[in-house]
Amino acid sequence: MTAPAATLSRPPLALSVASFVSSFDRFAVGPMLVLIALDLREPLAAAVAAASGYYLAYGLTQPLWGVLSDRFGRLPVMRGALFGAAAAGVLSALMPALGTLVAARVVAGACFGAVIPTSLTYVGDTVAPSIRQRALSDLMGATALGTAVATGLGGVLADLVDWRAVFAISAGCALACAAGLRTVPEPHRDAMGGLGTHLGAVLTNRWALLVFALAFVEGAVLLGVMPFLAPALQHRGVSAAVAGLAAAVYGIGLWLLTRLVKRLVHRWPAPVLIAAGGAQMCAGYAVVAVHVSLPTVMTAALLFGGGWSFMHSSLQTWATSVAPRARGTAVAFFAAALFVGSAVSSWAAGPAAESGAYGLLFGVAAAVALPLTAVAVTGRHRYTVMAATVGAATAGGSLPAEGARGQAE
């Protein structure tokens, strides 16, 4: 069963649910690390590997899943990955030692890493460019909800029941999602050659490389530095529970402002949306660079939710269009750049956080967000002009504008 190209207006419910489960599994382990360390009689520094190994596998496997989805189809790849994630989740719940638990979490991260980028690619395949950002906002809302539920509920379940139960629940949900995706039609894809052709179509495309570079810096500025909001409060004597709840305002902001972006995408051009997101990111970091307190951290977290909703959804939409004949590969490289950027930034920010120099850390993030926004706005405007020129030149021809643009590049 194959869906014709650009026939949907929103992602299928099964894809949104799968994105929710993937996000839940990715964020649930953080609040459980202390309990895992105590239960397995390991130092916390060692138990952190259960999270870092997951994140590393999640990011590094993105290009592989993208190439596979371009070659073998979106739904077969996603369903296979979810079956693998379910098996890894069961093993995570059963592992008696930290080493084997980390290995199981690495496999889970690698498998769940296929879900969100492949879902984004599916939207790119089935939703027309004019309304695509609205559909991508629906997926972003599902991932935001998964993040919020994982952050708020994961630790509670682990504390009241057992941390192993959280992994078991995630495994069961992954299995149910794999079964539910059987009813989702496979989208139409243009015929293309093997691995070298897919990679070449992406890595020789200057617009794609620009989008990947922007994703790397965005991941470094937001995903890499934002997790230090809670430690900054704890450095000032705020309890871990209160600091975590203050930082969790990000999830609320993301959920609410994603709804707003859906209403604005037809009124504001993409460069304006990017500028709005970048301004919120800059303002958020400026607030906490001046002073760290509960009100400023909550304000910053809310602004970061807006920054992600406006800027990231716009960059995601751009990533689905730059190489339409190798869309899965392009989106996967975009996601990989995002997570590698966050990993590099977190590592680089560690010494400043350890010494308590949070004002400096947040000030540098604000400073980097400024050129990121400027380059993203300028690049997106030039791309829009180029796309309009190509579309006008191919009007009335046999190729749709998006496909002609991909060939022109």
Side-chain angles (χ1 to χ4, degrees), residues 44-392:
L44 179 59
V48 167
S52 59
Y54 183 105
Y55 300 148
L56 186 63
Y58 189 99
L60 293 180
T61 55
Q62 304 287 313
L64 171 63
W65 292 123
V67 171
L68 290 176
S69 76
D70 276 339
R71 185 71 179 85
F72 299 107
R74 315 304 184 204
L75 273 302
V77 165
M78 196 185 307
R79 292 186 70 234
L82 283 167
F83 281 125
V90 172
L91 290 175
S92 299
L94 298 176
M95 289 299 102
L98 181 61
T100 51
L101 172 63
V102 170
R105 296 316 294 159
V106 166
V107 175
C111 292
F112 269 119
V115 175
I116 292 178
T118 308
S119 298
L120 297 174
T121 305
Y122 188 98
V123 170
D125 290 337
T126 58
V127 179
S130 60
I131 58 172
R132 188 173 295 160
Q133 189 160 353
R134 289 174 57 89
L136 291 175
S137 295
D138 286 333
L139 280 180
M140 185 178 290
T143 60
L145 187 58
T147 301
V149 172
T151 305
L153 191 61
V156 173
L157 283 175
D159 193 27
L160 297 180
V161 185
D162 189 88
W163 59 267
R164 299 178 186 274
V166 178
F167 292 139
I169 291 171
S170 183
C173 290
L175 190 62
C177 287
L181 287 172
R182 293 180 60 185
T183 62
V184 178
E186 176 67 20
H188 169 79
R189 304 188 317 280
D190 291 329
M192 203 166 185
L195 173 62
T197 306
H198 287 90
L199 292 176
V202 172
L203 298 180
T204 60
N205 184 319
R206 63 189 180 94
W207 290 111
L209 296 178
L210 173 62
V211 175
F212 301 158
L214 293 172
F216 179 91
V217 180
E218 183 194 32
V221 171
L222 194 58
L223 296 184
V225 179
M226 185 177 62
F228 291 100
L229 287 178
L233 280 176
Q234 291 175 267
H235 183 76
R236 298 183 66 86
V238 177
S239 70
V242 174
L245 288 173
V249 171
Y250 164 77
I252 299 173
L254 181 58
W255 171 257
L256 293 175
L257 292 169
T258 294
R259 306 296 96 191
L260 176 60
V261 169
K262 285 189 63 176
R263 296 178 177 273
L264 293 176
V265 290
H266 288 310
R267 304 176 187 175
W268 293 8
V272 175
L273 291 171
I274 293 173
Q280 291 176 80
M281 288 169 54
C282 292
Y285 279 121
V287 166
V288 286
V290 172
H291 181 64
V292 174
S293 64
L294 275 173
T296 60
V297 165
M298 293 175 69
T299 300
L302 186 63
L303 288 169
F304 294 154
W308 186 259
S309 299
F310 280 79
M311 176 179 277
H312 186 70
S313 67
S314 301
L315 294 181
Q316 273 185 344
T317 305
W318 193 2
T320 66
S321 302
V322 287
R325 296 187 64 200
R327 201 187 316 271
T329 303
V331 172
F333 271 95
F334 173 83
L338 185 78
F339 287 108
V340 171
S342 68
V344 171
S345 176
S346 296
W347 171 79
E354 187 173 356
S355 63
Y358 289 103
L360 173 64
L361 175 59
F362 297 141
V364 169
V368 174
L370 285 172
L372 165 66
T373 304
V375 173
V377 168
T378 303
R380 189 63 177 90
H381 172 71
R382 291 180 178 177
Y383 180 82
T384 301
V385 172
M386 181 277 302
T389 302
V390 173

